[in-house]
Amino acid sequence: MIPDILVEKLQIARSVAVLTGAGVSAESGVATFRGEGGLWKKFRPEELANFDAFIRNPGLVWEWYQFRRKLIHEVKPNPGHFALSKLEKHYNNFTLITQNVDGLHQTAGNINIVELHGNILRNRCIECNSMFSKRILEEDKKVPLCDCGGLIRPDVVWFGEMLPHGAIEKAARAAEECDLFFSIGTSAIVYPAASLPGIAKQNGAFIVEINPEPTPVTDIADVVIYEKSGVALPIIEKKLFH
Ligand code: OAD
């Protein structure tokens, strides 16, 4: 499943960048957005994941995020997450760029993480933008208020919003500078994250895709592994170390 050329590239790489998407957490039990069982099949993004929707109906949006947080609290990183954290320890220069908001890469032990779409476990005020650190109970249905009186929202990126300050710049730099780039478990259609594999390719990186399904990255990838990341990544990690 893992071609020799990839093992060779893993051994000589000096700088590695990894882009992950919802597929990496699928084997932990977190639903992806698109495809079979995807969240956007059951829910309408325009009603739940944008700022105007929150202002129109804060309670509904808050309740949806409380529901997703409850699910995320119940899951654990899978062997794919753990393999990525072992890879980070091996390289001096390793950047994990994720579109996921579930915090599972942190739990698995990765450190140099760029969270492009925020983190569902954090909250902030829509007025003064300060982080909200008070404990939020899982069953709380009422939207909390900041000391300044503003509504508290999850610290995630909604449709039409800018990415967190500096995140895409740091991710693009990692894509430009790496010699080995992985695109794992992402449909690679949501920009600007979807531009990163192309940036890495243009700058001479070797591109590896891990996904059971083809995506727009497949055409530019040097190696495509049509497999679940929780299966493929531990094999890759073992090949590197043994
Ligand atoms: P998607 O739901 O669009 O795509 C998930 C990808 O994971 C698909 O290509 C699947 O084939 C693949 N997949 C499924 N199971 C897998 C497994 N076990 N191992 C590896 N791959 C697997 O999720 P994202 O690409 O992350 O944005 O979506 C990008 C963004 O769209 C999300 O961050 C979110 C969403 O709207 C915001 O909320 C801003």
Side-chain angles (χ1 to χ4, degrees):
M1 183 213 298
I2 314 297
D4 291 345
I5 177 79
L6 174 54
V7 180
E8 208 175 291
K9 294 286 176 187
L10 281 161
Q11 283 164 347
I12 61 171
R14 289 173 165 273
S15 175
V16 178
V18 179
L19 172 67
T20 65
V24 166
S25 295
E27 288 153 272
S28 291
V30 183
T32 59
F33 293 94
R34 299 169 184 84
E36 195 118 329
L39 286 172
W40 294 156
K41 286 258 158 71
K42 285 184 264 170
F43 301 98
R44 289 155 58 95
E46 59 272 25
E47 279 171 18
L48 295 163
N50 77 57
F51 187 76
D52 292 343
F54 183 62
I55 295 303
R56 258 197 321 272
N57 196 343
L60 175 76
V61 173
W62 184 257
E63 210 177 313
W64 191 63
Y65 279 92
Q66 285 289 79
F67 159 73
R68 283 182 58 204
R69 279 184 190 131
K70 189 168 184 306
L71 296 181
I72 285 167
H73 275 133
E74 286 163 4
V75 302
K76 293 191 176 68
N78 64 57
H81 291 106
F82 287 117
L84 286 173
S85 112
K86 289 194 187 134
L87 284 186
E88 176 166 354
K89 290 186 181 72
H90 180 78
Y91 294 102
N92 288 331
N93 206 334
F94 185 98
T95 309
L96 179 57
I97 306 155
T98 188
Q99 298 162 87
N100 299 345
V101 296
D102 55 29
L104 288 176
H105 287 305
Q106 284 89 336
T107 310
N110 279 102
I111 291 165
N112 192 26
I113 302 174
V114 182
E115 289 183 319
L116 290 178
H117 294 164
N119 190 308
I120 199 171
L121 305 172
R122 289 191 307 255
N123 296 287
R124 64 182 161 86
C125 174
I126 64 164
E127 299 293 345
C128 70
N129 217 27
S130 53
M131 298 309 280
F132 186 75
S133 52
K134 288 186 197 148
R135 193 154 169 252
I136 294 170
L137 297 173
E138 271 179 5
E139 59 275 15
D140 268 357
K141 292 214 162 66
K142 250 181 92 190
V143 186
L145 293 179
C146 179
D147 290 341
C148 80
L151 288 168
I152 295 296
R153 60 167 283 179
D155 190 23
V156 296
V157 175
W158 282 332
F159 286 96
E161 290 187 323
M162 307 270 283
L163 300 196
H165 182 70
I168 194 64
E169 292 79 2
K170 185 171 177 199
R173 221 168 24 249
E176 273 163 26
E177 289 171 2
C178 70
D179 35 43
L180 184 55
F181 183 97
F182 287 86
S183 177
I184 312 175
T186 176
S187 56
I189 55 169
V190 174
Y191 282 82
S195 64
L196 296 168
I199 292 175
K201 181 81 179 176
Q202 273 164 18
N203 285 276
F206 189 83
I207 311 290
V208 182
E209 177 172 58
I210 303 174
N211 197 316
E213 306 287 336
T215 76
V217 177
T218 310
D219 289 341
I220 62 160
D222 297 288
V223 165
V224 179
I225 301 168
Y226 288 110
E227 185 49 273
K228 293 179 175 177
S229 48
V231 174
L233 283 167
I235 299 174
I236 289 175
E237 180 255 309
K238 282 197 184 70
K239 291 248 180 206
L240 176 63
F241 292 116
H242 303 113

